[in-house]
Amino acid sequence: MISIKGLSARAGSFSIRDISLDIRDSEYFVIVGPTGAGKTILLECLAGLHRLRSGEIHVGERDITSLPPEKRQVGYVPQDYALFPFLNVRDNITFGLRRMRHDKHEVNGTVESLAHLLGIHHLLDRNVRTLSGGEKQRIAIARALAISPKMLLLDEPMGSLDVRTAKFLRLELKRFHEELGITTIHVTHNLIEAEEMAERMAIMNVGKIEQIGTPERVFFYPQSAFVSDFIGTPNILDCDHCNDLGHGLMEAVCGGVPIILPYQGEGVRKIALLPREIYVTARKPPGPGLNRFRGTVTEITPFSSLMKLKISVGELSLVAELPQDIFEEMDIKTGQEVFLILKLRSLKVH
Amino acid sequence: MSSWRTSTGIAGERAFRLATLSALAILTLFFSGILVSLAAYTDWTTFFSILASKEILGAIRLTLVTATMAAVISMILAIPAAYALSQTKFPGKDIVDTILDLPIVVSPIALGAALLVFFNTPVGLGIENNLMRFVFEVPGIVLAQFTVINALAVRLLKATFDGINPRYERVGRTLGYTKLAVFFRITLPLARNGLLASAVLTWARAIGEFGATVTLAGAMKMKTETLPVAIFLNLATADVEKAVAVVFVLIVIAAGALMVLRKMTVKREVL
């Protein structure tokens, strides 16, 4: 277990304060928060690259608070990967191993097994300058894993990748993690990435941790206004009862409104859905009536470039968001009847 | 209306390009003109016999030896100093920075005069009498060159170290390397181009150093006669042909240094 107690650190005029965090063995832990939350500094404190003002860091029984980075056995993948441009891929991967003076046979064995795990055999003799973003990411992970670290620290590992590559590599990263079981701390500003990857996550804002928990827990029970705002202030619906519809579908009745979901087991108690994922239209939409409801607009509030509509459907009151221009085109007024479509894909259940 | 605007846009671009290219052409013509006039003036049969003379061969040898020594000493001190200047924060850093920059802007002859004055102080005299003689001696040449070129080396190296992303060094630390090991195994390889550039440029600058050298080490034929001093001495005795031959030697050395630099530095985008 990695245990952080009362950690504070400063970088220029910015500081992170009183961070306490326990990360379990083999856990995939994500630290998520907006830019400037102090996520990178926290990661650097763990790697020994940033001086603490106070606090302690333990890995298992070992106090590593005052150890220099070279003695911590931490696999660190910085933002943009920082592959050494003067070395080829193989020499990048073995850079740390060669320091430990392993014999050549052993070094080659490690490279082989990492290449196999990460699917990078064909890249080993390449110049790192010619690699794509996704390839660089894997090489950087291989380089970090080569020293058999006690934990893996990933700083915005998807930061510079295009959306599709990032999606694929998220799955890959999950697979490596399952295979190796290494305790991993992943820093990101991307909430979707955090929800998809994390076993547990910590939400950070201006140097403090706002909430720690499973993605589901954080989503359904945000503990602060910041967290609620950060995850998009979802509508949370309490469900009265559920019916299995067969064909992998189920129906959850929330406030008298029947919502169709992919089958989740009998126990759906809450459904969350983000205001931006409720589709609002003034005219009755064509097509099958799956998760389509008629409602009445009860309140309209402008919110920066968006309009927030409060709409009552049966006993439910839902908040939906529309971009200003689309709202104006539709010419919706309070008291007007509108149609809602809830996207099956965007429903989260608890 | 819009087509008229576009045409001015293109015409404007053309005029701008013409102006910048003209300036480039004027400069190129000016410097190549100097070279051509020099070549035209030279009598090539006497040129080689002058080159082979004991005086000029000695000057070449002395210049190469002293400039190399000055450049090596300068790099040995400038590499750590520039790294400290680039990576460390300390009070009074601006003052240190300014002091180290002074030799770039102060006239070399003034630096030479200052050195001469220094060696007349008790400390300076102590060094002269007990350690090593600099005034009007060969070590004075090396010291004069060092004084002039060191600031240049520090400046170039600091720019190089400033340009290195600290993430490389951080990763190196986590991979098991101490600060010192990271410096040799990561920082210096990353700084390769900057190191080469500052070594070659400071060496070439030392080859051509005149003002400080002549003030501190004097202009004594066959003794402290570096190539620039040789030009000065031969012009003073109206031996123009000899002076021109030395000018050629200096140009060849400079051109050679620049070419070596081009060959050895590899283009490398930042990862």
Side-chain angles (χ1 to χ4, degrees):
Chain A
M1 190 170 81
I2 301 164
S3 149
I4 303 166
K5 279 190 211 109
L7 183 152
S8 297
R10 176 177 280 191
S13 59
F14 181 78
S15 61
I16 57 176
R17 296 175 306 278
D18 198 28
I19 305 280
S20 290
L21 200 57
D22 285 333
I23 294 155
R24 298 176 196 132
D25 285 334
S26 300
E27 188 169 25
Y28 200 105
F29 194 91
V30 177
I31 298 168
V32 62
T35 309
K39 306 172 301 251
T40 296
I41 297 175
L42 179 54
L43 212 58
E44 287 180 350
C45 287
L46 282 167
L49 298 165
H50 202 103
R51 197 174 303 162
L52 309 192
R53 285 168 71 83
S54 60
E56 282 175 25
I57 305 169
H58 291 260
V59 177
E61 297 295 299
R62 190 159 163 245
D63 182 352
I64 63 162
T65 314
S66 51
L67 282 185
E70 62 267 24
K71 296 211 170 116
R72 289 197 181 196
Q73 278 186 280
V74 160
Y76 174 58
V77 177
Q79 232 176 89
D80 302 327
Y81 318 126
L83 296 176
F84 304 125
F86 50 88
L87 296 175
N88 71 9
V89 169
R90 183 187 298 273
D91 291 342
N92 261 280
I93 295 173
T94 58
F95 194 80
L97 274 181
R98 281 180 282 139
R99 184 63 182 177
M100 295 153 86
R101 291 181 218 289
H102 285 286
D103 67 45
K104 208 172 174 183
H105 195 68
E106 213 174 319
V107 170
N108 286 339
T110 309
V111 172
E112 276 304 308
S113 64
L114 282 171
H116 181 74
L117 174 73
L118 298 160
I120 49 172
H121 257 293
H122 59 295
L123 302 175
L124 288 177
D125 294 310
R126 286 265 292 276
N127 183 322
V128 296
R129 271 167 281 163
T130 64
L131 301 176
S132 72
E135 288 167 341
K136 281 181 192 166
Q137 189 210 50
R138 287 189 216 197
I139 306 308
I141 291 173
R143 179 179 62 182
L145 290 176
I147 59 164
S148 319
K150 299 259 189 286
M151 57 175 129
L152 183 62
L153 307 179
L154 308 171
D155 193 356
E156 294 282 3
M158 309 293 171
S160 55
L161 303 176
D162 63 86
V163 178
R164 283 178 63 151
T165 312
K167 180 117 187 116
F168 170 69
L169 287 173
R170 289 208 285 267
L171 296 173
E172 284 285 283
L173 207 51
K174 248 183 164 162
R175 182 176 66 81
F176 311 152
H177 177 254
E178 266 161 32
E179 236 166 280
L180 292 170
I182 183 171
T183 312
T184 304
I185 304 174
H186 172 142
V187 156
T188 180
H189 64 273
N190 183 338
L191 183 70
I192 297 168
E193 189 176 311
E195 281 187 59
E196 197 177 313
M197 307 288 300
E199 287 169 33
R200 285 191 309 147
M201 62 194 215
I203 314 251
M204 245 185 123
N205 185 38
V206 288
K208 291 191 90 163
I209 288 182
E210 295 269 345
Q211 188 169 352
I212 302 170
T214 61
E216 188 185 72
R217 189 88 204 152
V218 171
F219 205 86
F220 281 93
Y221 302 100
Q223 276 169 6
S224 68
F226 171 79
V227 174
S228 176
D229 193 43
F230 185 71
I231 62 182
T233 324
N235 294 289
I236 309 254
L237 315 178
D238 290 306
C239 300
D240 311 322
H241 58 90
C242 307
N243 310 310
D244 184 359
L245 299 178
H247 308 293
L249 290 175
M250 68 187 292
E251 181 187 59
V253 182
C254 310
V257 178
I259 295 170
I260 312 293
L261 300 165
Y263 186 71
Q264 309 276 345
E266 287 303 320
V268 172
R269 282 175 293 149
K270 283 171 190 287
I271 293 177
L273 95 145
L274 292 169
R276 62 168 176 273
E277 289 181 326
I278 298 177
Y279 182 69
V280 180
T281 167
R283 253 170 286 155
K284 189 173 165 59
L290 191 70
N291 286 350
R292 299 183 176 197
F293 308 104
R294 199 187 290 249
T296 312
V297 179
T298 56
E299 206 180 304
I300 299 172
T301 359
F303 182 74
S304 62
S305 66
L306 296 168
M307 298 303 278
K308 277 191 189 261
L309 309 182
K310 204 175 254 183
I311 300 165
S312 68
V313 181
E315 297 157 35
L316 293 177
S317 179
L318 296 173
V319 177
E321 269 172 19
L322 285 176
Q324 193 100 42
D325 49 338
I326 292 177
F327 171 79
E328 273 162 22
E329 225 166 85
M330 292 200 296
D331 194 27
I332 295 173
K333 295 187 180 61
T334 312
Q336 189 177 332
E337 189 168 82
V338 290
F339 295 89
L340 307 178
I341 302 175
L342 313 185
K343 285 184 233 159
L344 204 61
R345 223 169 0 119
S346 54
L347 299 171
K348 291 170 198 282
V349 298
H350 179 52
Chain B
M1 192 70 182
S2 73
S3 70
W4 178 79
R5 268 195 196 164
T6 328
S7 70
T8 12
I10 289 171
E13 258 173 52
R14 277 197 191 133
F16 179 79
R17 196 165 59 191
L18 192 68
T20 53
L21 284 176
S22 309
L24 187 63
I26 290 168
L27 287 173
T28 315
L29 274 176
F30 173 64
F31 288 109
S32 49
I34 294 174
L35 288 180
V36 168
S37 70
L38 208 59
Y41 187 88
T42 313
D43 175 2
W44 293 98
T45 44
T46 51
F47 175 78
F48 291 103
S49 63
I50 292 171
L51 266 194
S53 72
K54 217 176 164 192
E55 181 194 347
I56 300 305
L57 280 180
I60 292 174
R61 197 175 145 269
L62 181 66
T63 309
L64 292 180
V65 169
T66 53
T68 305
M69 283 175 72
V72 167
I73 296 168
S74 178
M75 289 298 284
I76 288 171
L77 285 167
I79 290 171
Y83 189 78
L85 211 51
S86 166
Q87 309 282 320
T88 326
K89 280 185 199 149
F90 53 86
K93 187 172 165 181
D94 285 350
I95 298 167
V96 172
D97 214 358
T98 310
I99 290 172
L100 290 181
D101 260 350
L102 271 181
I104 292 182
V105 280
V106 170
S107 160
I109 199 165
L111 292 175
L115 284 170
L116 208 53
V117 169
F118 167 76
F119 283 113
N120 264 315
T121 62
V123 180
L125 285 170
I127 294 172
E128 278 277 295
N129 296 328
N130 302 309
L131 282 172
M132 190 188 270
R133 293 198 166 272
F134 288 96
V135 180
F136 304 128
E137 296 286 345
V138 172
I141 301 174
V142 178
L143 182 63
Q145 290 171 339
F146 168 82
T147 311
V148 173
I149 67 175
N150 187 59
L152 185 64
V154 172
R155 202 51 30 206
L156 290 168
L157 289 169
K158 180 178 180 287
T160 304
F161 290 133
D162 283 347
I164 292 178
N165 189 331
R167 282 185 197 135
Y168 292 113
E169 297 183 354
R170 289 189 193 152
V171 170
R173 293 298 299 279
T174 64
L175 291 172
Y177 289 75
T178 60
K179 187 81 190 147
L180 185 72
V182 160
F183 182 73
F184 283 104
R185 298 290 302 274
I186 295 173
T187 315
L188 289 185
L190 284 171
R192 180 178 178 273
N193 283 356
L195 290 173
L196 281 172
S198 66
V200 172
L201 290 176
T202 51
W203 179 78
R205 180 73 188 78
I207 296 271
E209 211 299 305
F210 174 70
T213 306
V214 91
T215 323
L216 183 65
M220 284 168 285
K221 217 174 181 95
M222 311 288 283
K223 187 181 175 196
T224 59
E225 187 180 3
T226 60
L227 289 168
V229 172
I231 296 173
F232 172 73
L233 287 174
N234 288 304
L235 280 179
T237 55
D239 193 346
V240 181
E241 279 188 354
K242 217 183 213 174
V244 167
V246 178
V247 170
F248 256 111
V249 172
L250 279 176
I251 289 173
V252 167
I253 291 174
L258 290 178
M259 261 151 52
V260 165
L261 188 60
R262 283 246 164 125
K263 276 249 150 159
M264 287 174 79
T265 50
V266 278
K267 284 227 167 101
R268 182 177 278 165
E269 73 267 38
V270 180
L271 277 178

